[in-house]
Amino acid sequence: MTTIDPVKVAAFVRVVEAESFTAAAQQLGLPKSSVSRSVARLEEDLGVRLLQRTTRRLHLTDAGSAFYQKARGALSALEEAALTAADHGHEPRGTVRITAPVDLGEFLAEPLTRFVREYPQIQIDLVLTARIVDMVREGFDLALRASRLKDSSLIAKKLGSFADGLYAAPAYLKRRGTPTALAELAEHECVLFRARGGRSTWTLRGPKGEEHVEVVGSINADDLSFVVHAAEAGAGVAYLPHVLAARSVAAKRLVRVLPEHCWTHADLSLVLPTGRHVPTRVALLRDFLAESLKSTFGGHRNMKS
């Protein structure tokens, strides 16, 4: 009977889920050559080819697919058993991988700093990206999502809602005048977010109910922090989450425009994969962030439409 090394199996499973040796090696913290060698030796031990390697992609063979389905479940059970044992009687330790939108980075620095001071044996690996990551495939423990969840394999804890409003720099309003009705925005320069062709349709709710206005702008960006800075520089009126504009308003770099108009567009949720053991270190950070961020995103009355 062939004895299978679980280390080789773990390397194979990670390569399949990461869809590359390079990504798997980064997640495992090993040289790419070590991961490749582990998979090759596993194939030798089994006497079958598990992966077809091309210059562009990796493909599972029929044998590889069958082995992966069984190995993944066995490996998950083994990892869960190890984590359960490790969690008993020891100070929480290890790395927690978390991902969040780039625009939320400024709200994570302070609570994460407090967390690692309280739990010095836990390390945080934070990835800020505009991309919706595959948490399981890319090895993330937690994620902050500022959108509606479409993946049923994830468990979400709602922390609050994003509400938007209109903002501009005092210098811009002095130069162009302050709009008194939503329709007047069509005559103003606006700072656009993920628009196409220099145009966008903004939807807000005001005294007349839900209203729409088509706006134009010379500056379009895919990062809300940039939109804030451009609005501060006088580039035009910006449509921003209140929580991102709050510091600029406090510093008088931005002022609210048409304050009776706003729009609640998305929930902020703390997300983790379902169907797996949650290590103590992950549960601690989950609960810590939930409590810390609720005061920011769930406690402001002006966030409600």
Side-chain angles (χ1 to χ4, degrees), residues 15-92:
V15 167
V16 173
E17 293 180 345
E19 298 183 340
S20 87
F21 281 95
T22 300
Q26 291 174 345
Q27 293 176 18
L28 292 168
L30 296 171
K32 178 183 175 182
S33 58
S34 297
V35 175
S36 180
R37 189 161 50 248
S38 291
V39 174
R41 288 177 177 172
L42 176 63
E43 291 177 322
E44 291 176 7
D45 294 342
L46 295 172
V48 294
R49 172 78 67 180
L50 300 175
L51 291 168
Q52 292 288 357
R53 301 159 177 82
T54 68
T55 55
R56 290 180 175 272
R57 292 195 62 185
L58 297 174
H59 299 276
L60 282 168
T61 63
D62 290 343
S65 180
F67 183 77
Y68 169 72
Q69 295 302 325
K70 297 290 186 181
R72 179 179 60 176
L75 193 62
S76 295
L78 182 62
E79 290 174 345
E80 182 170 339
L83 289 169
T84 301
D87 280 346
H88 287 279
H90 296 284
E91 182 180 3

Side-chain angles (χ1 to χ4, degrees), residues 163-170 172-173 177 179 182 185 188-194 200-204 213 215-221 223-242 244-246 248-249 253-259 261-263:
D164 296 339
L166 301 169
Y167 295 88
Y172 172 83
L173 296 176
L182 195 65
L185 292 179
H188 277 261
E189 186 72 14
C190 295
V191 186
L192 306 180
F193 175 66
R194 295 181 182 173
S200 184
T201 299
W202 289 355
T203 300
L204 295 99
V213 60
V215 298
V216 297
S218 300
I219 296 178
N220 172 53
D223 179 78
L224 282 172
S225 296
F226 175 85
V227 174
V228 171
H229 294 312
E232 289 178 347
V237 180
Y239 190 10
L240 295 166
H242 296 317
L244 291 182
S248 300
V249 172
R253 295 189 296 268
L254 291 178
V255 297
R256 187 85 181 268
V257 175
L258 298 172
H261 289 80
C262 66
W263 185 257

Side-chain angles (χ1 to χ4, degrees), residues 96-269:
V96 181
R97 298 196 74 219
I98 179 171
T99 179
V102 176
D103 304 312
L104 297 184
E106 64 177 285
F107 301 102
L108 291 172
E110 190 272 337
L112 289 180
T113 298
R114 286 193 289 113
F115 180 81
V116 295
R117 286 176 180 168
E118 187 169 342
Y119 300 101
Q121 298 303 315
I122 298 178
Q123 290 80 45
I124 305 298
D125 182 7
L126 172 65
V127 175
L128 298 172
T129 176
R131 182 174 58 88
I132 300 296
V133 305
D134 184 323
M135 294 186 65
V136 175
R137 178 171 295 172
E138 298 181 49
F140 284 100
D141 301 298
L142 291 170
L144 277 174
R145 295 278 171 85
S147 60
R148 291 180 176 83
L149 297 180
K150 299 178 181 179
D151 191 341
S152 60
S153 68
L154 302 176
I155 300 173
K157 181 180 181 64
K158 181 180 176 181
L159 303 181
S161 299
F162 281 99
D164 296 339
L166 301 169
Y167 295 88
Y172 172 83
L173 296 176
K174 183 177 180 180
R175 185 174 74 251
R176 293 291 305 273
T178 300
T180 58
L182 195 65
E184 293 179 18
L185 292 179
E187 305 302 322
H188 277 261
E189 186 72 14
C190 295
V191 186
L192 306 180
F193 175 66
R194 295 181 182 173
R196 291 184 177 181
R199 294 179 175 275
S200 184
T201 299
W202 289 355
T203 300
L204 295 99
R205 186 175 291 109
K208 298 179 182 179
E210 186 174 311
E211 297 181 69
H212 310 275
V213 60
E214 185 171 307
V215 298
V216 297
S218 300
I219 296 178
N220 172 53
D222 66 351
D223 179 78
L224 282 172
S225 296
F226 175 85
V227 174
V228 171
H229 294 312
E232 289 178 347
V237 180
Y239 190 10
L240 295 166
H242 296 317
V243 69
L244 291 182
R247 293 183 183 178
S248 300
V249 172
K252 299 183 178 181
R253 295 189 296 268
L254 291 178
V255 297
R256 187 85 181 268
V257 175
L258 298 172
E260 68 279 9
H261 289 80
C262 66
W263 185 257
T264 301
H265 76 278
D267 294 334
L268 178 67
S269 301

